[in-house]
Amino acid sequence: RIPHSPLYFLSHRSPAPMTSAAARGLALYKAMVASKEYEAKGPLYKAMEVMDGALRMYGTSGLALAFNGGKDATVMLHLVRACTAGFLAMEHGEGWAADCDAKGTKMAVACAYFVDGSAFKELEDFVLEMESECSLSVLRVQGGYKEGCRKVTEELGVKCFLLGTRKTDPHGAFVEGFTPSTRGWPSFMRCHPILYWEYQHIWGFLVAFSLPYCKLYDMGYTSIGSKFDTEKNPLLLNPDGSYRPAHSLVLNQAQQDRERGGRAAEPAQKAGRGENGCSDVGLVTVGDEVLSAKVADVNTQHACGELRKLGIVPRKAVILPDDLGEIARTVKEMAPLYTAVITMGGIGPTHDDVTMRGVADGLGVGMSHSVAMEHLMHRLKQEVLEDGGQKGVSDLKCSTQRMCLMPDGTELLMEEGKEYPLLRCQNVYMLPGVPQFMRQQLTHLGRVLGCGAPFVSHRVGFSVDETTIADALARTAEEFVATSIGCYP
């Protein structure tokens, strides 16, 4: 068992700085092979074995590294440049690095950067820095991950993407070292060399080999998503209010989820807390059936009551038709104003379920197929088949596939004992419209947002006309401005 310390890797001299990116990559490869961790055939050795397999099967021209500047992607960058240098040096001799220096050759494996308008500027700056320092050939792609992968495979002839996914990631449980792309996506292989690395292995590698990483990780961040859903990890907070660097956090095997401590908090840019530290929310009910009075809106009333019990303040509630434009305009208006926006309805498999597309348009993000949701739907369908005494798994229907198409950046927040996840994109939470399912997810959502200061309510009854007490109520409300006072005949 590897000790839970990033210093485990410190068994060598870090490679000395060199002018050539290729030479630095080759020096890093040699230092990695000379390390005790490699000798012990631990995670580094296994990652390099997977990388060697990918290089032998697909060659440098058939590979592309998905690089967004995060710590896992950064580990992958350094692994790729080192293993590629070692692979080419064995093929062409060590003079290969000098030739690259003389010709100004880019790293043989291309990089794909999926442009995301919600990314931290520091991450984007780090990608630019690495592009120059490591002589990377970076293809910047827009339009969501699915279309981006299509562009990379078609323009560069890429057969395999090198990814920094780990088993502790939200989607990591569904993949192995080599996993084909999901049905409906462009055809390519996904390669995950660091799939079984834990938090301490990531920082053990970066610190021990003195490798550059994004400066956000020295400012208290341990897991970085979008700038809307990421905060500093409270486990790194010092008594004086400052934060320790990410590599100082020590987690054992049972504590790996604490790496994402800053991701479970409220969206970083939403300071939207009212008096007494309460979260405030906007509620959006979607459905033509509600506006046409075919179905009573019981969800809004229930949501307001349950949220207030948790000290969460509903500030605004609207009912919208199944109209993309209306949903997008409302989300765009409400998302910057409140800690959270909660939509209810319109996320099912039918043609009039347009909420997720409206949320994507309102937040200014694309739509892409969720691999995790597809796996989940397959599993649920298999359970239904088995309960009915049937064997085998049939493909998901097109209508069910619609439920796997989500706004880019959507997280599937699973809760123990529940079959269906809570869907979150930035600070928008998308709940089903069926009351019994909405109520289950609302309970989960309350735990995600966290409880505020509890509300205290008192009712006084009078057998008089409103006009009799109107002046007294007005004076009382003026004196006690922090108290909500109303009159309900």
Side-chain angles (χ1 to χ4, degrees):
R1 179 67 184 163
I2 295 178
H4 297 288
S5 169
L7 300 181
Y8 178 75
F9 283 87
L10 289 176
S11 57
H12 67 282
R13 296 178 63 86
S14 297
M18 301 180 185
T19 57
S20 164
R24 290 197 302 273
L26 184 56
L28 175 59
Y29 175 80
K30 292 178 179 180
M32 287 159 53
V33 171
S35 69
K36 288 184 177 179
E37 205 280 331
Y38 181 90
E39 183 180 344
K41 295 191 175 181
L44 177 60
Y45 173 88
K46 294 173 183 176
M48 294 175 71
E49 286 287 287
V50 174
M51 273 300 309
D52 181 66
L55 286 162
R56 286 187 291 106
M57 285 189 291
Y58 299 102
T60 56
S61 62
L63 297 173
L65 168 67
F67 181 57
N68 65 355
K71 67 182 186 303
D72 297 341
T74 299
V75 166
M76 282 300 303
L77 170 64
H78 297 309
L79 275 174
V80 170
R81 67 187 187 90
C83 291
T84 300
F87 178 78
L88 293 176
M90 283 186 279
E91 278 200 342
H92 307 294
E94 294 201 13
W96 158 84
D99 291 339
C100 289
D101 191 20
K103 298 175 182 177
T105 306
K106 299 284 188 181
M107 187 174 78
V109 174
C111 295
Y113 176 62
F114 295 87
V115 178
D116 182 354
S118 64
F120 281 83
K121 184 179 184 299
E122 290 86 349
L123 283 179
E124 295 176 333
D125 290 344
F126 179 67
V127 171
L128 288 172
E129 179 187 339
M130 291 298 96
E131 184 176 9
S132 172
E133 182 175 325
C134 299
S135 295
L136 306 181
S137 177
V138 179
L139 177 64
R140 288 169 170 79
V141 289
Q142 301 186 11
Y145 289 102
K146 184 175 182 179
E147 287 307 309
C149 289
R150 189 183 310 280
K151 182 177 181 181
V152 174
T153 55
E154 290 178 353
E155 292 190 11
L156 301 182
V158 166
K159 303 298 182 185
C160 178
F161 279 90
L162 301 168
L163 306 171
T165 304
R166 293 189 285 133
K167 280 293 183 183
T168 52
D169 291 337
H171 304 160
F174 302 112
V175 298
E176 295 302 331
F178 287 90
T179 301
S181 57
T182 304
R183 186 183 295 107
W185 279 56
S187 297
F188 57 83
M189 185 64 73
R190 291 173 286 171
C191 177
H192 310 102
I194 61 171
L195 187 62
Y196 292 95
W197 284 34
E198 295 179 355
Y199 185 80
Q200 72 274 9
H201 301 136
I202 295 295
W203 287 110
F205 176 75
L206 293 173
V207 171
F209 291 100
S210 304
L211 298 171
Y213 53 83
C214 179
K215 63 183 180 182
L216 287 174
Y217 292 107
D218 285 336
M219 299 163 60
Y221 294 93
T222 54
S223 176
I224 300 176
S226 79
K227 57 189 176 185
F228 302 118
D229 68 3
T230 306
E231 290 184 342
K232 297 177 181 180
N233 194 323
L235 294 175
L236 294 175
L237 179 63
N238 291 315
D240 63 358
S242 63
Y243 284 83
R244 301 187 301 281
H247 64 75
S248 68
L249 180 64
V250 178
L251 302 174
N252 63 34
Q253 194 169 28
Q255 297 172 329
Q256 293 299 303
D257 59 329
R258 298 185 184 182
E259 169 187 345
R260 296 175 63 85
R263 300 284 289 279
E266 298 165 14
Q269 79 167 29
K270 310 298 177 189
R273 288 189 175 267
E275 303 86 7
N276 305 321
C278 303
S279 298
D280 53 3
V281 301
L283 302 173
V284 181
T285 295
V286 180
D288 289 344
E289 67 275 19
V290 177
L291 288 172
S292 63
K294 294 184 179 71
V295 175
D297 177 24
V298 296
N299 286 343
T300 300
Q301 181 182 14
H302 179 82
C304 288
E306 291 303 307
L307 291 170
R308 283 182 65 84
K309 289 179 184 178
L310 297 172
I312 299 171
V313 186
R315 295 289 186 189
K316 186 175 184 178
V318 298
I319 303 175
L320 302 179
D322 299 315
D323 181 273
L324 275 174
E326 289 283 357
I327 298 170
R329 281 190 291 273
T330 302
V331 169
K332 184 176 182 180
E333 171 195 330
M334 295 175 70
L337 299 179
Y338 308 118
T339 304
V341 176
I342 303 170
T343 70
M344 296 173 285
I347 62 172
T350 59
H351 71 283
D352 56 348
D353 289 314
V354 296
T355 296
M356 286 199 276
R357 171 70 69 177
V359 169
D361 291 348
L363 296 176
V365 301
M367 293 278 286
S368 59
H369 184 87
S370 170
V371 177
M373 179 59 81
E374 181 178 12
H375 282 290
L376 176 63
M377 299 302 289
H378 270 297
R379 179 174 61 79
L380 294 176
K381 184 173 183 181
Q382 177 67 6
E383 290 175 358
V384 171
L385 289 173
E386 292 174 353
D387 288 343
Q390 302 179 47
K391 294 183 178 180
V393 180
S394 58
D395 290 340
L396 294 179
K397 294 180 179 179
C398 292
S399 58
T400 309
Q401 288 279 4
R402 285 171 56 89
M403 298 175 66
C404 301
L405 190 63
M406 299 182 176
D408 290 342
T410 297
E411 295 178 86
L412 279 59
L413 307 179
M414 297 297 300
E415 185 177 33
E416 187 175 355
K418 296 296 188 297
E419 292 184 337
Y420 196 83
L422 174 64
L423 306 179
R424 176 174 67 186
C425 185
Q426 298 181 21
N427 70 322
V428 179
Y429 296 80
M430 295 163 280
L431 276 60
V434 178
Q436 68 185 81
F437 300 137
M438 188 283 295
R439 294 180 183 191
Q440 291 176 2
Q441 297 227 330
L442 189 68
T443 302
H444 185 191
L445 172 58
R447 285 191 281 269
V448 171
L449 288 177
C451 296
F455 288 94
V456 177
S457 179
H458 185 64
R459 177 182 294 184
V460 179
F462 295 94
S463 297
V464 297
D465 187 86
E466 279 187 288
T467 57
T468 306
I469 60 173
D471 290 342
L473 280 177
R475 289 193 300 271
T476 305
E478 185 176 352
E479 181 177 355
F480 298 97
V481 294
T483 303
S484 175
I485 298 174
C487 183
Y488 313 107

